[in-house]
Amino acid sequence: MINRKYILLVFISSLFCVESIALATKVKGSVLYKKKKEKQLKNELKVGNDLHNSDYIRTGEDGFAKYVYLDDGTQIKIHNNTEVFVHGELSRRSILKQLKVKDGTVKLDVKKQATDEFTVITPTSVASVKGTSFWLDCSGKQGDKFYGESGIVSITNIASGLKRQLAKNTVASSSPDGTLDVREITPNELKMLEEIESETGEEDG
């Protein structure tokens, strides 16, 4: 588990130099990333790498990456075959956070935000949260499934504008045709999420 004092030290240092917003804390298998201004995806993500606004991360078939935002320890787990853009802008002493997910599976443990909500954007949906833990299974332009683990997540379907609340032990299905439904999670789905965590050694956080 990363030392929180170290995170705060790195964050304070970043205020006076390059504006890093997050830190890679765990990497397994094939994980590539590139900076906003880079044209080619050729860098391998390493533990300890600083992440900046608009950095792109792609995990391979055996890939997994975890990073934390430097202001509050909000934690993002990027599972295999997933593509994301890491976003965040410094505002006073906090970071205005956003994650764009093109495809794949992500688990988010969002700490209580000091200012604006943490926003997750996919080709189909927009999710906003002040602080909670949930999963996103994004099938690209085919739609999304959100799995609530704690707290409340506000989900909006981009095509229809429909809004629903994701709570603990519920699943929200958001489709490109504009539908957005919420139901209770099934035992099989809970088992599936547990297995995903176990495969990456993350069952204990």
Side-chain angles (χ1 to χ4, degrees):
M1 188 174 186
I2 191 163
N3 189 300
R4 292 184 67 85
K5 289 184 179 179
Y6 173 71
I7 294 175
L8 290 173
L9 178 62
V10 174
F11 175 64
I12 292 170
S13 299
S14 73
L15 294 175
F16 301 98
C17 53
V18 179
E19 292 185 349
S20 59
I21 59 171
L23 184 73
T25 60
K26 186 174 183 178
V27 179
K28 295 177 66 176
S30 174
V31 182
L32 299 177
Y33 87 110
K34 71 179 183 70
K35 304 297 183 184
K36 180 180 180 180
K37 294 182 179 180
E38 294 177 339
K39 294 183 178 180
Q40 294 184 339
L41 182 64
K42 59 182 180 180
N43 302 310
E44 291 186 2
L45 186 66
K46 304 292 186 182
V47 171
N49 280 159
D50 289 326
L51 297 174
H52 303 79
N53 187 39
S54 299
D55 282 2
Y56 170 80
I57 299 174
R58 185 178 73 192
T59 58
E61 183 68 32
D62 63 342
F64 172 80
K66 179 166 64 174
Y67 73 87
V68 295
Y69 281 93
L70 298 177
D71 59 340
D72 61 9
T74 286
Q75 180 176 268
I76 311 298
K77 298 177 183 179
I78 308 167
H79 290 270
N80 65 318
N81 295 325
T82 298
E83 299 179 69
V84 305
F85 288 92
V86 180
H87 290 290
E89 295 184 2
L90 294 173
S91 176
R92 296 181 181 179
R93 295 184 179 180
S94 62
I95 300 172
L96 304 179
K97 308 174 188 69
Q98 185 184 94
L99 181 69
K100 288 186 178 180
V101 183
K102 290 185 64 178
D103 197 7
T105 304
V106 180
K107 185 180 181 184
L108 303 94
D109 182 6
V110 181
K111 306 303 181 185
K112 187 175 181 180
Q113 299 301 287
T115 53
D116 289 353
E117 295 176 319
F118 187 108
T119 305
V120 182
I121 300 174
T122 76
T124 305
S125 318
V126 176
S128 301
V129 57
K130 271 290 187 181
T132 189
S133 178
F134 67 102
W135 290 78
L136 165 61
D137 182 9
C138 172
S139 298
K141 296 181 179 180
Q142 303 305 309
D144 310 313
K145 282 190 176 181
F146 296 86
Y147 300 89
E149 192 169 82
S150 68
I152 298 294
V153 181
S154 178
I155 301 170
T156 302
N157 182 282
I158 294 173
S160 65
L162 283 175
K163 295 184 178 181
R164 296 287 187 270
Q165 299 293 312
L166 180 77
K168 181 179 179 179
N169 292 332
T170 63
V171 181
S173 299
S174 183
S175 302
D177 63 7
T179 58
L180 177 57
D181 301 314
V182 178
R183 57 172 173 78
E184 289 187 4
I185 198 168
T186 67
N188 284 340
E189 287 169 327
L190 284 172
K191 183 178 179 181
M192 173 193 70
L193 297 177
E194 290 172 357
E195 289 176 349
I196 293 174
E197 289 276 67
S198 179
E199 287 172 0
T200 57
E202 291 292 311
E203 62 268 28
D204 295 324

